[in-house]
Amino acid sequence: MTRQIRWAAAFCLLLTALLLVNAARIQLVQSSTYDDNPANRRQAIARYSQPRGDIYVDGRPVTGSKDTGEQLRFERTYKNGPLYAPVTGYASQVYGSTSLENAEDRLLAGTSPALAPLPLWGDLTRELQPGGQVHTTIVPEMQRAAYEGLGGKQGAVAAIEPATGKILALVSAPSYDPELLSGNSVAAARNWSRLNTAASKPMLNRAIRQTYPPGSAFKVVTAAAALDAGVITDVDAPTKSPDPYRLPGTSTSLGNEVEGCANASLRQAFTWSCNTVFARLGVEVGLGSMVGTAQRFGFNTRGLRIPSPVAASNFDSSMDQPQLALSSIGQYDTTATPLQMAMVASAVATGGDLRAPYLVDRTTDASGDTVSLTQPRSLHQTFNPGTGSLLRELMIEVVEKGTGRNAAIPGAVVGGKTGTAQHGLGNTGLPYAWFISWAQSSDSATPAVAVAVVVEDASAVRDDISGGGIAAPIARAVMEAGLARAARAEPQGSRGWPQPLEGREWPEPRSESEAGHGRPGARSRR
């Protein structure tokens, strides 16, 4: 009898051990399978059982939480939702999250191990902490200036502090109110459908997720490549450029929208945006050097995050000479985000030190204690110091005497470059208007802001589409707000580079429009 009892006891112990092993397998090995099962609502219920942490602009929250009393208790709310939508994105109980709401989701939801007093224990217990806070680099006056400047036009604005890489404004228009998507009601579903099917694509973050042909704004990159490669040693010397310029190996001729471009110097060609000079320079510099310079400015960079992902800007590394000529004036397959073109202006403003752009200054826990702090870092030295000095001079003259005079600001040194980019089949689409620029107070030692503006307004009169006519005034408003911010932070300083140039006279342009930058049928990605 004792023997049977021992066997029964051993069998019971074996069953108990197997049950414990199976429980451990389910809880440790297969836990994610059950957690991620759509039928399991426990995670969602826990996630929305407490208010979400907030996103801050200039020390004030632009998000909030609303107690609905329902099973998914707290819904996200937004203050000035359309103004800050490109920054915050949306956090929906049904449709997920985007932008900062997505990039900083674990901290905002309270599930980040960094918020737990004992991080390892927090990982094991999965206990929710109060949601953390995300403090952005956005300056509200600059954000509003960009938003109001675009008005009803489709387009985007990106503004950067050159010395640090802080993103000071990030606007995409038309915009939307993220709060319309927060809940799980029928109204939220209708809003989702309406916003996703709208022809104007209001939920597309044009500032960091859309790429455009940059047109003549890209000539800053081509000028840098020509100077660094030694193809241009004197910016005032004739360039031996014909007008029109026949693309190498073809019967296609490229012309200009202004007179006086034949044999023009680099300075004159940059000031009045001569296509023929820059197309020829790109070919003379060569594909390898053009690609290298573009990449140092940030083109072809995959995986850039601010911390939201940024679409890669493109400069093809495999082209024939006619394609290289068109790419050198920002056409063919050359494309860029507004943030990328703001980085181009920022690199010139700092003399070549391209700083990594970032949108989050710091994160904190619910009590305000710092969790993480973003440190500025350099991405590339884009060109040598001598090239930097000349590029600043050239951009200043565009604003003082050339196509960018609408961006001039009294009491400040402003450098800029206009651009009008062709696109569409046979270049029949309404051109995109670009303006990239930087501004520095006349009594300051450092530039305050670098800006890129693109306008793609299909309702505008075609003759009015030009970087200097439409985009430059928007950039000026953003720069004025940036200069005012810098003055509050540093009221006095020594006057630094660059200085306005006097005493040079160039022929007046026939037109400030820069249309006609591409050959008929030239390909460009929108």
Side-chain angles (χ1 to χ4, degrees):
M1 189 68 176
T2 304
R3 184 178 179 182
Q4 284 82 356
I5 292 174
R6 281 200 294 268
W7 277 107
F11 184 67
C12 289
L13 286 173
L14 177 62
L15 290 177
T16 301
L18 290 173
L19 286 172
L20 290 172
V21 168
N22 188 55
R25 178 180 64 85
I26 291 172
Q27 293 182 17
L28 298 178
V29 178
Q30 293 186 324
S31 60
S32 60
T33 302
Y34 294 100
D35 285 342
D36 299 336
N37 192 311
N40 181 9
R41 288 178 56 82
R42 291 191 179 188
Q43 275 197 324
I45 292 170
R47 177 185 181 87
Y48 297 109
S49 65
Q50 67 176 20
R52 189 170 172 84
D54 285 321
I55 298 172
Y56 284 73
V57 171
D58 195 29
R60 296 190 177 106
V62 295
T63 59
S65 295
K66 176 176 65 177
D67 190 347
T68 65
E70 299 176 357
Q71 190 178 55
L72 302 182
R73 184 173 172 182
F74 286 94
E75 287 182 9
R76 195 58 145 167
T77 61
Y78 295 86
K79 301 170 185 176
N80 296 315
L83 175 63
Y84 292 111
V87 176
T88 64
Y90 61 78
S92 168
Q93 294 178 345
V94 178
Y95 304 110
S97 56
T98 58
S99 300
L100 282 185
E101 292 278 29
N102 177 267
E104 300 289 353
D105 179 69
R106 296 188 70 187
L107 183 124
L108 293 167
T111 60
S112 171
L115 297 174
L118 299 172
L120 183 59
W121 178 251
D123 272 347
L124 292 174
T125 64
R126 302 186 187 182
E127 180 182 359
L128 280 178
Q129 300 295 322
Q133 302 170 353
V134 175
H135 294 261
T136 71
T137 57
I138 295 294
V139 176
E141 296 86 357
M142 298 177 68
Q143 184 80 0
R144 187 166 293 279
Y147 184 79
E148 292 177 351
L150 283 170
K153 305 178 185 71
Q154 289 183 195
V157 179
I160 297 174
E161 184 175 68
T164 62
K166 290 181 179 180
I167 297 175
L168 307 177
L170 200 69
V171 170
S172 176
S175 191
Y176 70 103
D177 187 352
E179 193 168 334
L180 296 174
L181 307 174
S182 293
N184 54 13
S185 64
V186 174
R190 283 199 298 264
N191 291 329
W192 174 262
S193 178
R194 174 178 58 82
L195 290 170
N196 273 285
T197 56
S200 60
K201 299 181 181 179
M203 289 201 296
L204 172 63
N205 191 338
R206 289 169 164 85
I208 62 172
R209 297 299 303 165
Q210 177 74 323
T211 60
Y212 304 86
S216 288
F218 187 81
K219 290 172 183 173
V220 174
V221 179
T222 304
L227 290 165
D228 263 4
V231 171
I232 295 291
T233 57
D234 181 355
V235 296
D236 295 305
T239 56
K240 300 180 182 178
S241 302
D243 182 10
Y245 170 64
R246 180 175 291 180
L247 299 179
T250 76
S251 59
T252 302
S253 292
L254 183 69
N256 298 290
E257 288 296 312
V258 293
E259 296 177 347
C261 289
N263 207 30
S265 67
L266 178 64
R267 188 187 301 278
Q268 184 172 347
F270 195 93
T271 303
W272 295 117
S273 205
C274 296
N275 294 329
T276 52
V277 173
F278 283 91
R280 179 183 170 277
L281 280 178
V283 173
E284 191 171 352
V285 168
L287 180 61
S289 294
M290 283 296 300
V291 170
T293 300
Q295 290 179 345
R296 287 192 293 276
F297 273 101
F299 284 80
N300 300 340
T301 299
R302 305 292 187 265
L304 179 64
R305 304 183 71 91
I306 61 171
S308 306
V310 179
S313 298
N314 180 69
F315 188 83
D316 281 358
S317 58
S318 177
M319 292 184 283
D320 59 24
Q321 287 194 333
Q323 293 164 346
L324 177 59
L326 293 173
S327 295
S328 300
I329 59 171
Q331 294 290 165
Y332 185 59
D333 274 350
T334 303
T335 58
T337 62
L339 180 62
Q340 169 62 68
M341 295 311 293
M343 292 166 64
V344 170
S346 177
V348 176
T350 60
D353 182 13
L354 179 61
R355 293 286 171 146
Y358 63 96
L359 187 56
V360 175
D361 183 61
R362 69 186 189 281
T363 62
T364 69
D365 60 20
S367 63
D369 293 332
T370 298
V371 173
S372 67
L373 182 66
T374 305
Q375 296 293 338
R377 63 186 180 90
S378 180
L379 281 179
H380 302 288
Q381 180 65 33
T382 50
F383 40 75
N384 66 53
T387 295
S389 177
L390 291 169
L391 287 175
R392 290 193 297 269
E393 285 186 15
L394 296 176
M395 291 187 75
I396 290 170
E397 290 207 8
V398 169
V399 175
E400 290 188 342
K401 301 175 181 179
T403 57
R405 284 173 288 184
N406 283 337
I409 301 173
V413 181
V414 179
K417 185 70 190 79
T418 54
T420 308
Q422 301 282 4
H423 70 100
L425 182 63
N427 290 339
T428 56
L430 199 69
Y432 299 133
W434 279 94
F435 192 75
I436 66 172
S437 58
W438 51 265
Q440 174 179 333
S441 174
S442 59
D443 61 356
S444 175
T446 57
V449 59
V451 182
V453 178
V454 64
V455 179
E456 50 168 308
D457 185 18
S459 65
V461 178
R462 187 181 183 97
D463 289 343
D464 289 341
I465 288 285
S466 69
I470 287 183
I474 301 171
R476 182 184 63 224
V478 177
M479 289 188 291
E480 286 174 336
L483 289 167
R485 164 188 175 266
R488 291 193 299 270
E490 185 186 1
Q492 297 296 328
S494 60
R495 184 181 176 96
W497 49 260
Q499 302 290 339
L501 302 176
E502 303 294 341
R504 292 189 177 92
E505 298 296 334
W506 304 120
E508 290 296 317
R510 185 173 65 221
S511 166
E512 287 197 5
S513 169
E514 294 178 316
H517 286 188
R519 61 179 172 86
R523 293 189 295 126
S524 63
R525 293 195 195 110
R526 177 172 176 173

